[in-house]
């Protein structure tokens, strides 16, 4: 670090400097700057509530928890993505000015949902899908965890089935996924999905593996990694039980 101790007054100071930079150096409109300002002020209030004392203490985990808090407050994926853009730009500026060593928001992403559930299915449809797996069986707990993670974190199906054990951080509340071009992204996960994953890891995964070793997060009864084909077979079966065959064919 530069040796500067930057308190919350410092956060406000650097925020003001950044907004001035956007206006003068970047020539952004007043409307755009007002939107950035609102996002950064809301984040500043979040820091104050949690007694985060200086900018150097804001790491990727803090930002992930903030994005999860926004989701649980009811903000849409589009609104959360806008907040993330605001934070990325602010921390990029701080890094360029050598106020911090690196941008903690750089690797965080909010990808579009692989199932496009909000666009194709109603809330009732999604609730039916999530409620259909038999949670008394290991496969049911696994399927609930997969669906909650797919829906809650907005992963693509290919990202979901390729997740490995070292890619999930339950304590930090995020997953690390590799998308196109092997690009790594850090994606925040909500508390409901995290709870479903914990249940699966404790109660179901050991029963599915039966003592066998696997690096895959989601495994089959044979101990292998879940495949894309197997996942869509499960989705189709649950969809038929919910009467969603036609809707699911639109997103398959």
């Amino acid at each position: 670090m530069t040796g500067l101790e930057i308190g919350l007054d410092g956060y406000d100071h650097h925020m003001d400097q950044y907004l001035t930079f956007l206006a003068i150096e970047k020539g952004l409109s007043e409307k755009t700057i007002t939107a950035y300002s609102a996002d950064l002020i809301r984040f500043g209030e979040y820091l104050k509530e949690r007694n985060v004392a200086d900018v150097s203490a804001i790491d990727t985990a803090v930002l992930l928890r903030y994005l999860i808090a926004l989701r649980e407050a009811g903000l849409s994926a589009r609104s959360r993505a806008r907040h993330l853009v605001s934070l990325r730009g602010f921390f990029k500026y701080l890094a360029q000015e050598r106020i911090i060593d690196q941008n903690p928001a750089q690797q965080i992403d909010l990808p579009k949902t692989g199932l496009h559930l909000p666009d194709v299915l109603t809330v009732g449809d999604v609730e039916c899908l999530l409620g259909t797996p038999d949670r008394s069986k290991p496969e049911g707990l696994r399927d609930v965890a997969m669906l909650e993670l797919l829906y809650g974190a907005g992963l693509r199906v290919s990202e979901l089935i390729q997740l490995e054990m070292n890619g999930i951080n339950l304590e930090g509340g995020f997953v690390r996924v590799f998308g196109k071009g092997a690009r790594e992204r850090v994606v925040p996960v909500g508390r409901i999905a995290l709870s479903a994953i914990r249940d699966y890891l404790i109660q179901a995964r050991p029963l599915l593996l039966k003592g066998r070793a696997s690096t895959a997060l989601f495994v089959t009864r044979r101990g292998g990694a879940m495949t894309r084909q197997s996942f869509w077979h499960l989705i189709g079966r649950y969809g038929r039980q919910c009467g969603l065959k036609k809707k699911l064919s639109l997103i398959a």
Side-chain angles (χ1 to χ4, degrees):
M1 297 302 299
T2 61
L4 295 174
E5 289 298 323
I6 308 168
L8 286 174
D9 288 340
Y11 174 87
D12 293 338
H13 171 69
H14 289 299
M15 180 184 69
D16 289 341
Q17 284 190 322
Y18 175 59
L19 295 174
T20 301
F21 166 78
L22 293 180
I24 297 176
E25 300 293 333
K26 294 295 185 180
L28 298 186
S29 69
E30 183 178 348
K31 181 179 179 180
T32 300
I33 292 173
T34 298
Y36 276 114
S37 176
D39 293 344
L40 294 174
I41 288 172
R42 181 166 183 167
F43 180 59
E45 292 298 322
Y46 174 86
L47 296 178
K48 291 175 184 177
E49 291 171 2
R50 284 153 185 79
N51 297 316
V52 177
D54 57 75
V55 173
S56 65
I58 303 172
D59 57 12
T60 300
V62 171
L63 296 178
L64 287 167
R65 285 193 290 270
Y66 176 62
L67 291 169
I68 292 170
L70 291 180
R71 179 178 183 270
E72 293 178 348
L75 270 71
S76 67
R78 179 173 296 182
S79 294
R80 285 180 281 128
R82 191 201 69 223
H83 276 269
L84 180 57
V85 169
S86 299
L87 292 170
R88 276 179 179 160
F90 177 58
F91 285 103
K92 180 181 180 180
Y93 167 81
L94 293 180
Q96 288 175 340
E97 295 296 310
R98 299 185 181 278
I99 296 166
I100 57 176
D101 287 335
Q102 59 185 358
N103 182 351
Q106 187 172 358
Q107 285 188 310
I108 302 177
D109 200 6
L110 291 173
K112 294 180 180 179
T113 174
L115 275 176
H116 305 295
L117 291 178
D119 299 324
V120 179
L121 305 178
T122 67
V123 173
D125 293 338
V126 173
E127 289 178 349
C128 184
L129 274 178
L130 295 173
T132 299
D134 185 350
R135 299 176 189 235
S136 68
K137 297 179 179 179
E139 291 92 339
L141 288 174
R142 177 201 62 200
D143 297 347
V144 169
M146 293 182 74
L147 288 168
E148 288 284 4
L149 183 55
L150 189 76
Y151 177 57
L155 301 187
R156 299 177 180 91
V157 174
S158 58
E159 294 170 337
L160 179 76
I161 61 175
Q162 290 171 13
L163 272 173
E164 297 194 343
M165 288 293 291
N166 61 7
I168 180 78
N169 188 317
L170 295 176
E171 200 66 33
F174 64 87
V175 292
R176 294 183 181 274
V177 299
F178 291 88
K180 295 180 180 179
R183 175 176 168 272
E184 183 183 32
R185 297 200 306 278
V186 180
V187 184
V189 180
R191 55 184 176 81
I192 295 177
L194 289 173
S195 177
I197 294 169
R198 284 193 186 93
D199 290 343
Y200 159 69
L201 290 175
I202 295 171
Q203 302 177 41
R205 191 172 183 273
L207 295 178
L208 294 172
L209 286 175
K210 297 178 181 177
R212 293 167 293 200
S214 176
T215 60
L217 176 60
F218 296 111
V219 297
T220 66
R221 179 66 79 168
R222 294 182 178 180
M226 176 66 65
T227 65
R228 185 182 180 89
Q229 183 179 5
S230 297
F231 177 79
W232 281 114
H233 175 74
L234 293 172
I235 286 288
R237 176 156 54 86
Y238 294 138
R240 286 190 295 274
Q241 290 178 253
C242 292
L244 304 177
K245 183 177 180 180
K246 183 177 181 181
K247 288 187 178 183
L248 290 174
S249 69
L250 297 174
I251 57 178

